[in-house]
Amino acid sequence: MATLRRLCVFCGSSIGRDPAFAEAARALGRAIADEGVALVYGGASVGLMGAVADAALAAGGEVIGVLPRSLFARELAHRGLSELRVVGSMHERKALMAELSDGFIAMPGGIGTFEELFEIWTWAQLGDHAKPCSLLNVNGFYDGLIAFLDQVVDQQLLKPRIRDMLLVERDPAALLARLAAYQAPVIDKWIAPDQR
């Protein structure tokens, strides 16, 4: 995984109902650390965010958290990270996470996770970066979203090659291997969306 120095994980600040979510978060954190890759995430100590960070740290990995000042003040900050960067806003948080990371993984989460995933994937579509974007589809959590995205392609509102930019796996190790092997398509920033 020489090209991946840091991976960003988007996931829930809640643990979720399915125990498989936390199990997958811990497995992903360990796998990232075992590959010698640093974890970049939202900086909280709670939910799936805390689980992935704790597992990476326990496996000897480097973990960088990025947390808005408003959430730090609510005592959600993880105090045991390799590095915690406190920023002024959610916009700054996402921009810094994108800057620090060489690839992106969305685990189960809520609207914040979805928003982060779609924004970073949109930036890839626009050619603002060439970093891989992916879903860790734990216990079929994202099956409905994947089917919807395929429907959007069928309706000719999303080009198949843009849809194919979003990697999907159910197993953390398989996903990390695909991220490491990712070859970004050439995106011309000036091609009109309906021509992509």
Side-chain angles (χ1 to χ4, degrees), residues 77-99:
H78 195 303
R79 304 297 178 146
L81 303 179
S82 310
E83 183 179 353
L84 178 63
R85 300 197 187 187
V86 179
V87 296
S89 69
M90 292 295 282
H91 294 293
E92 290 175 58
R93 177 198 223 177
K94 291 182 294 178
L96 183 55
M97 291 168 78
E99 179 186 329

Side-chain angles (χ1 to χ4, degrees), residues 112-127:
T113 300
F114 308 151
E115 189 266 344
E116 290 167 328
L117 168 68
F118 279 103
E119 183 170 55
I120 204 69
W121 185 19
T122 298
W123 293 352
Q125 173 188 310
L126 296 173

Side-chain angles (χ1 to χ4, degrees), residues 9-26 28 46-49 52 105-114 116-117 134-143 145 169-170 175:
V9 174
F10 304 129
C11 58
S13 58
S14 297
I15 205 74
R17 183 174 66 182
D18 189 339
F21 298 163
E23 182 181 324
R26 290 189 290 269
L28 180 60
V46 296
L48 298 177
M49 295 172 72
V52 70
I105 300 169
M107 289 196 57
I111 59 172
T113 300
F114 308 151
E116 290 167 328
L117 168 68
S134 67
L135 294 174
L136 183 59
N137 189 19
V138 181
N139 261 9
F141 180 80
Y142 281 115
D143 286 354
L145 175 61
E169 290 290 343
R170 293 179 181 265
L175 183 55

